[in-house]
Amino acid sequence: MKKQSALTAILKAKSLTLTVAAAVVILFFYIMNREFLSGNSIRSIMNAMSLSGMLAVGISILLIGGEIDLATGAEAMFGGVVCAAALAAGMPIPVAIIAAILFGAVAGLINAFFVNVLNIMSFIVTIGMSSIYTGLAYYLTNAKGINVSGAFLKLGTTALFGIIPTPFIVMAVFLVIYAFILRYTDIGRAVYMIGGNRAAARLTGVNPKRVTTIVFVNNGVIAAIGGVLLTARMHVANPGAAASGALDAIAASVLGGVSFAGGAGGMGGCFIGLLLLNAFINGLMAVNLPTYFQLVAQGALLIIALSVEYFNARGRQKRVAAEARELMKK
Amino acid sequence: MEHQLLIQGLSKSFPGVKALDDVFIKAEGGRVTALMGENGAGKSTLLKILAGDIEADEGSFSIDGQAQTYKTPLGAISAGVSVIYQERQLMPSLSVMENIFAGKLPKNRLGMIDYSRLRQDTEDIIAKFGLAIDPRASVGSLSIAYQQMVEIMKAYRRDSLVIAFDEPTASLAEAEISILFGLIERLREAGKIILYVSHRMSEIFQTTDDVIVLKDGKNAGAFMTSAVSETELIRAMVGRDIGNTYAGLDRNTELGAELLTVRDLETDKLQRVSFSMRQGEIIGFAGLVGAGRTELARAIFAADGIKGGEIIFGGEPVRFRSPKDAINAGIALCPEDRKEQGLVLSHSITKNISIPVLDKLLKARFLQTAEEEKLADEAVRKYDIRTPSVDKRVVELSGGNQQKVILGRWTNEKMNTKLLILDEPTKGIDVGTKAEIYQRICDFAKAGIGVIFISSELTEVINIADTIYVMRSGKITGKLSRGEATEESVLALAMKADG
Ligand SMILES: Nc1ncnc2c1ncn2[C@@H]1O[C@H](COP(=O)(O)OP(=O)(O)OP(=O)(O)O)[C@@H](O)[C@H]1O
Ligand SMILES: [Mg+2]
């Protein structure tokens, strides 16, 4: 039996439209303002991509597995607070980071507990958890945030070749590793299966609860690491940080073709979604659009991009059918 | 004048396949027209076009000489066409009466739904069909068989002129089938145009007047049922003769050691079920739908919890905590409901086949995708799955081909199966492939694998299994050997009153 034909391979590359869109967006803002592709601007795009990117990696995997974590931004923020508090208490940097990671793991376990054991929808559970972490963080930091200083800052402020920020590199490494895990490991495959059909997955020997737990813990840990990087970049762990983190990450993932219904998507699309979203947001700043309109434009981008994808898919179906007909006639 | 449905030059392509190619169909009122053909021949596609579900690329159709141009399900309904699919098209959380009258709920003067009339009207229809269904029951709580009855009543309520059935008996047991046939008979008497898709030969000869055969999306013959033989039909469908299905089987003659003993098994649905089987033995479970056969299979496989009793597998008492444990011990369950319990529809054939053996496809923690693909190729070859590529998403396969994917999964060579439980394995499978599947089941037995074969098609169970158990209401009501089982004796046990 043959591998898929070139035709279907191209059709499968759903993210083609998005790549083109990202390129168009970048080109457009470059024409509008040459500064858009200056070193500084690229750096700030990459910086912006790194936090939402970390969160998007975790969220994409959750979405593929049919779950969601609306507390992911709050988990990142709280991870940052834990790390900063540990540093402030005089702990060494690695210990502080591990403390944040542990918090992320526990946060994931808590989500998984409610979803697996009490059968509450993750959507509901994580709305609640988000509020709890935010409230706790304000309480614990007296609503002021915890400043960090010293060598720890290097994590967030250094850049490779003076242009690629360290957090971006960390994010890119995660993205690539998870791309492999999703594609080439049994646990990766299991995530798709439980997202696609949980009952069938169970009957084929996948343990849906175990996989769900893994993806939640994984997400918590990634979010916490994201929070640590953000804290290092901002010099402060601020309870108000990453408030829209979950929504931005979900937007990027879904834009990149990760299915909200579960079972489909991947890291490649997730990356392009991120790039498109962040290039666009930065571009709006580059052309000095008033802040409020930036919000409007962001929302419009998301909706337009998804609609375009929809029409494209429809057109593609028709085209393929026509081509198939031609082929058959021969 | 008799009613008439005329379809001309109908063509429809999907990526890589021409599902329908210049198809011509003529069906008359007061007659049942069968549509036959191998898996993937295009039957369901034709019905979907008729239902306004998908659009044809080319072709036209007319009802009573009137050209039809509708392109939506609503258009089909108002043109008087109802299609009853393989999958139910009901709203499970709504009641029977709301489903039957969906789109045309009776209203009172205030414009609110008139529930008492709704209930009365529904009861009238239910009574006409001689069924016992509570109009207020939610459809989701009904068995598949009853859900289908609801769907037929819905078509009846709409007063459709054309009623098309896509493998309506695939999930029904004999008793329910006779109710269905009674109902089709009534529709025929009422002069309706009835299209009937099925792979079961006996039904074709029992209920239909005409047969239209499709092969690879093209017309491959039109016959009067009374003037055609089974052999001729098969030749038209498959393109060759297949000989006597059961007599030609190469069966296993040597039974091995004790493989599985079930003693006093109790679950929510099962009451003190006991039986035992040996390696290389094929045991069949017959009974009406809802008799507890699927529940028994699921209990052995640890898909559902058990309340009491004992399972001894391979000489040792076992208590599996999850299907995963059962699979590791060498048990495979090929489930009855392929959409809900079996397949991950949005994924490829390859990925669907490899799920239970993913851990065996790892090398240094990474999946060997080439190996994985080999498994899929193997399944495609073994079961003759009609597809342009193993990368095709399962949702795009025809019903019978989806079933073959499940079989391919559970019988793949990496499985290391000792006990194979097949729950309705030939559901929706065409005659040619069925014969091959029977032989494969015998081959498994010859390799020492124990096979539990559950089927609602009586002829199949009594001809394939070495020992036939009959179940009713969660209990085993009889045990027969292949020689002594007849359709009558099995049916009697399946319907035997308690006590
Ligand atoms: N949505 C779809 N996308 C792509 N291909 C499709 C789609 N639906 C059907 N096909 C293809 O069209 C062909 C005809 O399928 P169809 O379902 O009509 O067969 P069928 O005669 O009903 O078979 P069966 O007896 O197995 O139910 C098959 O090759 C199938 O793979
Ligand atoms: Mg079909």
Side-chain angles (χ1 to χ4, degrees):
Chain A
M1 175 124 308
K2 66 179 194 287
K3 265 298 281 174
Q4 54 178 264
S5 67
L7 182 75
T8 44
I10 294 171
L11 296 171
K12 280 229 173 126
K14 270 191 191 157
S15 31
L16 194 69
T17 345
L18 283 167
T19 318
V20 173
V24 168
V25 163
I26 291 170
L27 199 69
F28 172 78
F29 287 115
Y30 179 63
I31 292 168
M32 297 294 287
N33 182 350
R34 292 297 147 106
E35 280 299 296
F36 184 62
L37 287 185
S38 69
N40 265 339
S41 168
I42 289 180
R43 235 182 115 153
S44 80
I45 293 179
M46 288 201 212
N47 262 325
M49 276 174 78
S50 53
L51 175 70
S52 60
M54 287 297 279
L55 299 186
V57 168
I59 279 286
S60 293
I61 297 168
L62 269 175
L63 286 174
I64 293 170
E67 302 292 342
I68 198 167
D69 183 358
L70 291 173
T72 192
E75 284 158 7
M77 173 277 294
F78 207 88
V81 170
V82 168
C83 179
L87 289 172
M91 290 187 202
I93 296 172
V95 175
I97 295 177
I98 288 172
I101 290 177
L102 277 180
F103 158 74
V106 170
L109 277 179
I110 294 173
N111 292 338
F113 169 79
F114 285 110
V115 171
N116 282 334
V117 182
L118 303 186
N119 280 322
I120 310 178
M121 276 168 59
S122 51
F123 191 87
I124 307 295
V125 172
T126 56
I127 286 182
M129 292 314 296
S130 174
S131 174
I132 290 176
Y133 295 132
T134 311
L136 272 180
Y138 275 108
Y139 172 74
L140 292 174
T141 64
N142 292 323
K144 283 201 290 281
I146 303 173
N147 291 322
V148 290
S149 57
F152 177 71
L153 296 182
K154 282 198 182 140
L155 269 180
T157 49
T158 49
L160 186 67
F161 311 125
I163 179 139
I164 310 175
T166 310
F168 185 86
I169 296 172
V170 175
M171 186 275 288
V173 168
F174 269 82
L175 207 98
V176 171
I177 291 176
Y178 281 102
F180 266 92
I181 291 180
L182 281 179
R183 255 191 124 87
Y184 295 112
T185 67
D186 54 341
I187 177 79
R189 190 62 67 72
V191 174
Y192 283 97
M193 295 299 142
I194 62 163
N197 186 344
R198 202 174 163 97
R202 187 171 93 88
L203 288 185
T204 29
V206 173
N207 182 342
K209 295 196 170 174
R210 182 171 153 263
V211 179
T212 306
T213 307
I214 291 174
V215 290
F216 270 117
V217 169
N218 178 65
N219 181 68
V221 168
I222 298 177
I225 297 174
V228 169
L229 295 172
L230 182 71
T231 305
R233 179 152 64 85
M234 297 306 197
H235 300 209
V236 60
N238 176 0
S244 67
L247 293 184
D248 292 345
I250 292 168
S253 307
V254 174
L255 199 53
V258 174
S259 161
F260 211 76
M267 287 293 128
C270 172
F271 179 78
I272 295 165
L274 270 171
L275 179 67
L276 177 57
L277 204 62
N278 286 289
F280 188 72
I281 295 170
N282 266 267
L284 294 175
M285 290 191 249
V287 297
N288 289 322
L289 199 72
T291 327
Y292 304 132
F293 283 105
Q294 285 180 25
L295 279 177
V296 174
Q298 261 178 62
L301 167 78
L302 193 64
I303 290 166
I304 292 171
L306 293 177
S307 320
V308 167
E309 182 52 37
Y310 166 77
F311 284 112
N312 241 331
R314 266 196 10 179
R316 199 156 51 212
Q317 269 167 14
K318 290 216 171 112
R319 239 176 10 251
V320 173
E323 267 172 55
R325 240 172 292 147
E326 283 309 308
L327 280 176
M328 299 290 171
K329 276 191 184 141
K330 281 186 229 158
Chain B
M1 192 199 85
E2 293 297 343
H3 296 296
Q4 192 188 57
L5 168 73
L6 195 63
I7 300 179
Q8 282 168 302
L10 198 68
S11 294
K12 172 79 192 174
S13 297
F14 292 110
V17 264
K18 187 139 198 185
L20 292 172
D21 188 358
D22 197 17
V23 168
F24 175 88
I25 302 259
K26 193 168 101 181
E28 282 176 1
R31 295 177 78 81
V32 179
T33 306
L35 216 52
M36 295 196 80
E38 292 177 290
N39 296 129
K43 306 175 297 294
S44 298
T45 304
L46 193 144
L47 296 201
K48 279 182 200 154
I49 293 172
L50 209 52
D53 209 8
I54 55 177
E55 253 179 78
D57 299 332
E58 282 164 60
S60 63
F61 58 101
S62 64
I63 299 171
D64 291 348
Q66 205 159 16
Q68 299 293 335
T69 53
Y70 62 79
K71 292 194 167 63
T72 60
L74 205 58
I77 293 169
S78 39
V81 178
S82 280
V83 176
I84 291 154
Y85 285 115
Q86 269 163 315
E87 293 82 40
R88 306 284 81 83
Q89 310 281 310
L90 297 166
M91 292 164 274
S93 58
L94 295 187
S95 66
V96 169
M97 53 189 192
E98 284 161 321
N99 268 286
I100 291 180
F101 281 87
K104 211 181 174 192
L105 293 167
K107 305 264 171 64
N108 62 19
R109 266 171 304 163
L110 297 173
M112 295 191 306
I113 296 171
D114 185 346
Y115 277 103
S116 56
R117 217 181 97 207
L118 176 61
R119 193 167 151 202
Q120 192 51 53
D121 291 355
T122 309
E123 265 165 6
D124 289 348
I125 297 180
I126 293 175
K128 260 200 199 96
F129 289 122
L131 300 171
I133 304 177
D134 179 358
R136 289 163 305 173
S138 79
V139 162
S141 70
L142 301 179
S143 69
I144 299 182
Y146 277 102
Q147 292 188 12
Q148 183 174 52
M149 301 294 162
V150 171
E151 206 153 13
I152 294 166
M153 289 189 279
K154 189 163 120 191
Y156 178 86
R157 191 274 301 160
R158 284 178 187 152
D159 203 19
S160 305
L161 178 59
V162 179
I163 301 179
F165 294 88
D166 198 351
E167 301 191 37
T169 54
S171 343
L172 306 190
E174 309 286 315
E176 290 137 345
I177 292 176
S178 57
I179 301 179
L180 172 71
F181 286 172
L183 147 64
I184 290 179
E185 190 50 48
R186 229 159 293 175
L187 297 173
R188 186 201 337 241
E189 280 160 13
K192 308 277 187 200
I193 302 166
I194 302 158
L195 291 180
Y196 187 88
V197 175
S198 175
H199 290 294
R200 299 188 181 180
M201 279 293 174
S202 57
E203 290 172 3
I204 300 296
F205 287 101
Q206 193 182 338
T207 34
T208 71
D209 303 289
D210 305 291
V211 185
I212 293 173
V213 176
L214 296 181
K215 181 165 171 51
D216 301 327
K218 297 191 190 70
N219 283 94
F223 310 88
M224 290 253 282
T225 314
S226 56
V228 71
S229 72
E230 189 168 326
T231 325
E232 281 173 280
L233 277 183
I234 292 176
R235 200 179 300 138
M237 280 190 285
V238 188
R240 62 187 157 86
D241 292 331
I242 56 169
N244 188 326
T245 328
Y246 300 115
L249 285 177
D250 179 10
R251 298 177 192 268
N252 177 35
T253 47
E254 281 166 56
L255 299 189
E258 188 90 2
L259 177 66
L260 173 76
T261 303
V262 170
R263 211 172 284 146
D264 293 333
L265 189 68
E266 303 241 0
T267 72
D268 288 340
K269 296 263 175 59
L270 300 177
Q271 297 169 39
R272 301 175 65 90
V273 170
S274 303
F275 69 93
S276 79
M277 66 185 294
R278 294 161 68 184
Q279 290 170 352
E281 191 177 13
I282 304 174
I283 62 170
F285 278 88
L288 305 183
V289 168
R293 296 165 302 161
T294 295
E295 286 74 13
L296 176 60
R298 289 176 59 92
I300 296 171
F301 193 61
D304 295 329
I306 59 179
K307 281 187 176 159
E310 210 179 3
I311 298 175
I312 298 158
F313 183 63
E316 280 169 44
V318 288
R319 197 145 255 220
F320 304 127
R321 272 169 304 127
S322 68
K324 173 107 197 151
D325 290 349
I327 292 171
N328 289 341
I331 303 181
L333 167 66
C334 182
E336 148 191 57
D337 186 339
R338 59 178 171 246
K339 295 255 157 96
E340 296 284 323
Q341 311 280 311
L343 297 164
V344 184
L345 290 172
S346 58
H347 283 274
S348 66
I349 297 176
T350 310
K351 287 183 181 172
N352 269 285
I353 283 177
S354 63
I355 321 178
V357 293
L358 282 178
D359 47 351
K360 300 193 178 111
L361 290 167
L362 295 180
K363 198 169 186 183
R365 291 178 158 264
F366 288 105
L367 285 176
Q368 303 301 104
T369 42
E371 286 272 298
E372 187 186 11
E373 211 150 292
K374 251 197 275 167
L375 283 185
D377 286 340
E378 185 70 21
V380 165
R381 206 178 45 72
K382 261 204 302 208
Y383 292 102
D384 188 21
I385 300 172
R386 301 289 168 89
T387 175
S389 146
V390 289
D391 294 317
K392 201 169 167 95
R393 295 188 308 150
V394 170
V395 69
E396 293 167 6
L397 296 180
S398 79
N401 284 303
Q402 292 178 348
Q403 183 66 26
K404 296 180 198 169
V405 172
I406 295 218
L407 284 171
R409 170 202 291 164
W410 290 111
T411 57
N412 80 53
E413 57 185 39
K414 297 237 181 236
M415 275 298 294
N416 189 19
T417 302
K418 299 195 185 84
L419 171 64
L420 177 62
I421 309 174
L422 300 169
D423 194 355
E424 307 283 0
T426 61
K427 193 161 153 184
I429 300 255
D430 65 45
V431 273
T433 317
K434 246 185 208 171
E436 283 164 37
I437 289 174
Y438 296 150
Q439 184 53 55
R440 282 199 196 284
I441 292 176
C442 293
D443 292 345
F444 292 129
K446 286 174 83 168
I449 296 173
V451 182
I452 295 181
F453 181 47
I454 300 172
S455 170
S456 297
E457 230 180 302
L458 273 183
T459 17
E460 186 174 90
V461 203
I462 60 182
N463 282 292
I464 302 296
D466 302 319
T467 309
I468 296 111
Y469 289 90
V470 186
M471 290 187 74
R472 197 194 100 86
S473 318
K475 278 184 263 184
I476 290 183
T477 52
K479 175 183 173 185
L480 301 162
S481 67
R482 183 164 62 242
E484 56 186 349
T486 61
E487 300 206 7
E488 291 73 32
S489 61
V490 170
L491 262 183
L493 288 168
M495 306 210 276
K496 187 166 87 175
D498 284 312

